[in-house]
Amino acid sequence: MIRYAKPTTVDEALALLGEDRWRILAGGTDFYPAQGAKPFRDNILDINGLAALRGIAETDEHWRIGARTTWTDIVRQPLPVAFDALKAAAREVGSVQIQNVASIAGNLCNASPAADGVPALLALDADVELRTAKAIRYLPLGAFILGNRRTALQPGEMVTAIRVPKRSAAGASAFVKLGARRYLVISIAMAAARLAVENGVVAEAAIAVGSCSAVARRLAGVEAALRGRPVDEALADAVLSAPMDELSPIADVRGSAEYREQAAREIVIRAVRAAVGFEQGKVAA
């Protein structure tokens, strides 16, 4: 017999997860399309009644984003400019109707290589809060998403929040997405850049690219090439010559591997330039 439950507290939800196997239903914007016309065969744990998992709070050490926080919530929340890339990505998640209900944790747990929110969160050094009825643990986002549709979630465990360290909420950021059209499009490639500038020099750089490997990746070679550089037009040359060994783009109906590799470098340049104020981040079509 298939079970359906809609708990009203996090403790109740975790207790249920500890006693049986469940598919978690949050916003449902990926859940229902994936189900299609197939009959339900799994227990459904509907967490839409868990008000405690929605919202953004500031603590002494972190910005804490509840698992059920929607993309519209993120767009509307006053946040430091380091979160601008995340807000820009939020505006690219499907349509406005989808943004109103889709949750940030759902975007991560779906674990699509083209998940719009992941590069910006990687650039913010985000980690994932995972809870069971008996324990709580934290994983860096890069260790949580393991591959296409694969995460490090263990039986009985649920994502309850995403945390951004205060030290990483520094500098300014930008997000650039490349798609075949302007709206409602799966990314061919996307990039998030966060740069902290001190005395006209790049003091800190965090660069991440999505849709160009099985999971979104930080680009350590590009970050190293940018650190210590004066903020001028030569930043683009630094990106052009930097290694991007982390990327392993695939070829599919949206673009060849070679095209993705070249496009990734171009949109990283655009994101870097936008983050330091040289141009506005935008979707390239």
Side-chain angles (χ1 to χ4, degrees), residues 34-284:
Q35 184 66 31
K38 296 177 293 184
F40 285 98
R41 301 189 183 279
D42 301 311
N43 297 326
I44 307 300
L45 184 65
D46 185 343
I47 65 169
N48 284 292
L50 303 184
L53 295 188
R54 185 169 178 179
I56 302 174
E58 182 180 2
T59 70
D60 290 340
E61 296 184 355
H62 296 91
W63 288 91
R64 189 176 187 277
I65 307 172
R68 282 192 56 244
T69 303
T70 69
W71 296 108
T72 297
D73 293 336
I74 290 169
V75 169
R76 292 176 176 174
Q77 180 79 18
L79 292 166
V81 292
F83 286 84
D84 282 359
L86 183 61
K87 289 192 172 194
R91 295 184 180 96
E92 300 295 340
V93 178
S95 63
V96 172
Q97 294 92 331
I98 289 173
Q99 294 163 22
N100 287 342
V101 294
S103 67
I104 186 170
N107 196 245
L108 305 188
C109 292
N110 193 44
S112 165
D116 289 316
V118 176
L121 288 169
L122 285 173
L124 287 167
D125 299 317
D127 66 24
V128 182
E129 180 182 282
L130 303 165
R131 286 183 59 185
T132 66
K134 297 181 179 179
I136 184 169
R137 67 183 178 124
Y138 299 94
L139 275 182
L141 178 55
F144 174 72
I145 301 176
L146 303 179
N148 186 18
R149 312 296 181 182
R150 295 191 301 116
T151 73
L153 269 172
Q154 296 178 355
E157 203 167 45
M158 179 171 68
V159 175
T160 48
I162 293 89
R163 305 187 311 170
V164 173
K166 283 287 189 68
R167 57 176 169 74
S168 299
S173 67
F175 174 79
V176 178
K177 175 174 175 175
L178 172 65
R181 59 180 185 266
R182 178 63 182 86
Y183 295 106
L184 297 171
V185 62
I186 298 174
S187 298
I188 297 171
M190 56 185 161
R194 179 177 62 85
L195 282 81
V197 177
E198 296 178 5
N199 300 317
V201 172
V202 177
E204 181 181 351
I207 311 295
V209 167
S211 287
C212 290
S213 46
V215 297
R217 297 288 190 190
R218 285 277 293 266
L219 303 184
V222 176
E223 293 172 357
L226 291 172
R227 291 191 197 101
R229 292 262 181 177
V231 176
D232 56 26
E233 295 293 339
L235 288 178
D237 296 329
V239 175
L240 283 172
S241 60
M244 291 187 175
D245 299 333
E246 296 87 353
L247 302 185
S248 53
I250 63 169
D252 61 13
V253 295
R254 290 186 293 277
S256 67
E258 294 77 13
Y259 175 71
R260 276 190 166 89
E261 189 169 352
Q262 294 177 27
R265 200 173 289 274
E266 172 61 26
I267 63 174
V268 166
I269 290 172
R270 295 188 188 189
V272 166
R273 287 176 55 83
V276 297
F278 285 168
E279 63 183 43
Q280 293 298 312
K282 59 185 177 183
V283 174

